[in-house]
């Protein structure tokens, strides 16, 4: 099965800095989702995007559904130590099952206090 | 409180033994999923089920089996045919027709085969 191209693989930043990560695909997606996973736990949904061009915020997090429907990005502003974790993008491919997600490989975020 | 439970949290087995991982939800969700997570690999779909007594293979179903006899339960058996079973296994569920913010993941089971 196809996996999304998520970058960067890892990031090391100072507390207070902004963070940006993205996912790209060669296929068109109908839905983009962004998750955060803490060590040893299941992922938790951060933001869901359903329309091309959609820009959605959740506190310090902002995500956008690319106009081409082949990409999405997640920004975290003014990072804090509890932002540490693995961030995953996931999507529903156009023409595929409405409930079968494709996941990126994740971005490991480390925040230095 | 509604949610998904997976048990046990940690599981150790000898090579060649079958092992069954439990996943239970009390959210009245129709669809349930099993994912495998390896370091640096993201989540890969093993099996999913959208209705009782029916399930479909995901991208890496070889060496695994599932059953869906009850709506709230979707156990995963890792068989001896799975060549590299050591991994973190995640169960998830969602109601059909619902938005994705109603999807939940369980806390995961870390399986180590010795």
């Amino acid at each position: 099965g196809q996996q999304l191209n998520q970058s960067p693989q890892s990031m090391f930043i100072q507390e207070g800095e902004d963070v940006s990560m993205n996912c790209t695909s060669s296929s068109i997606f109908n839905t983009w989702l962004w998750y955060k996973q803490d060590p040893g736990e299941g992922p938790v949904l951060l933001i869901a995007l359903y329309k091309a061009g959609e820009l959605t915020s959740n506190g310090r997090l902002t995500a956008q559904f690319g106009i081409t429907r082949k990409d999405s990005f997640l920004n975290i502003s003014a990072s804090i130590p509890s932002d540490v974790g693995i961030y995953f993008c996931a999507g529903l491919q156009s023409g595929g099952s409405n409930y079968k997600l494709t996941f990126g490989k994740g971005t490991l975020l480390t925040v230095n206090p | 409180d509604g949610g998904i439970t997976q048990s046990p949290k940690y599981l150790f087995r000898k090579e060649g033994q079958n092992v069954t991982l439990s996943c239970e939800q009390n959210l009245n969700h129709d669809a349930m999923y099993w994912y495998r997570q390896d370091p640096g690999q993201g989540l890969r779909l093993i099996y999913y089920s959208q209705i009782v007594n029916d399930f479909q293979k995901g991208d890496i179903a070889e060496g695994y089996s599932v059953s869906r006899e009850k709506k709230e339960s979707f156990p995963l058996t890792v068989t001896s045919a799975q060549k590299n079973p050591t991994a973190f296994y995640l169960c998830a569920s969602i109601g059909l027709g619902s938005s994705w913010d109603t999807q939940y993941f369980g806390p995961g089971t870390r399986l180590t085969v010795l």
Side-chain angles (χ1 to χ4, degrees):
Chain A
Q2 179 189 14
Q3 281 200 317
L4 299 171
N5 301 312
Q6 185 171 349
S7 64
Q9 278 189 305
S10 61
M11 302 182 73
F12 297 85
I13 63 171
Q14 293 297 125
E15 183 177 359
E17 290 183 354
D18 297 343
V19 170
S20 184
M21 59 192 79
N22 69 83
C23 271
T24 61
S25 172
S26 57
S27 303
I28 291 174
F29 281 73
N30 291 329
T31 297
W32 286 96
L33 307 169
W34 285 93
Y35 294 87
K36 181 186 180 221
Q37 184 180 31
D38 292 325
E41 300 293 331
V44 173
L45 183 67
L46 299 173
I47 293 179
L49 302 161
Y50 299 103
K51 289 173 57 176
E54 181 180 354
L55 183 70
T56 296
S57 293
N58 178 7
R60 294 178 294 104
L61 277 61
T62 302
Q64 184 159 29
F65 192 141
I67 288 291
T68 64
R69 296 170 65 193
K70 294 182 178 181
D71 62 344
S72 177
F73 72 76
L74 174 71
N75 287 343
I76 305 172
S77 63
S79 58
I80 59 178
S82 62
D83 289 335
V84 165
I86 303 176
Y87 292 79
F88 290 101
C89 63
L92 283 177
Q93 202 166 340
S94 176
S97 163
N98 284 336
Y99 287 90
K100 185 180 173 186
L101 293 175
T102 300
F103 281 82
K105 293 187 177 184
T107 295
L108 174 61
L109 178 64
T110 303
V111 179
N112 294 320
Chain B
D1 287 332
I4 301 182
T5 57
Q6 289 185 244
S7 61
K9 182 71 172 173
Y10 300 96
L11 192 53
F12 296 88
R13 278 296 182 268
K14 291 184 179 179
E15 194 172 341
Q17 289 182 334
N18 291 355
V19 60
T20 297
L21 281 59
S22 167
C23 178
E24 305 276 333
Q25 54 97 1
N26 61 2
L27 300 161
N28 199 33
H29 282 173
D30 307 287
M32 297 185 73
Y33 305 79
W34 274 105
Y35 294 94
R36 171 182 171 136
Q37 185 176 22
D38 296 285
Q41 288 296 315
L43 275 66
R44 292 184 290 168
L45 182 63
I46 305 172
Y47 270 99
Y48 65 107
S49 168
Q50 294 181 297
I51 194 170
V52 172
N53 293 324
D54 188 43
F55 46 83
Q56 288 78 42
K57 292 182 178 180
D59 300 318
I60 56 165
E62 186 175 350
Y64 299 98
S65 66
V66 293
S67 63
R68 187 86 186 276
E69 297 177 3
K70 299 185 297 182
K71 187 175 185 178
E72 56 270 23
S73 178
F74 191 40
L76 173 74
T77 297
V78 184
T79 75
S80 57
Q82 169 48 235
K83 298 191 186 314
N84 186 18
T86 294
F88 189 51
Y89 290 88
L90 287 160
C91 180
S93 71
I94 188 171
L96 293 180
S98 301
S99 61
W100 284 95
D101 56 1
T102 65
Q103 180 203 46
Y104 287 90
F105 277 87
T109 292
R110 186 166 298 281
L111 173 65
T112 302
V113 175
L114 306 170

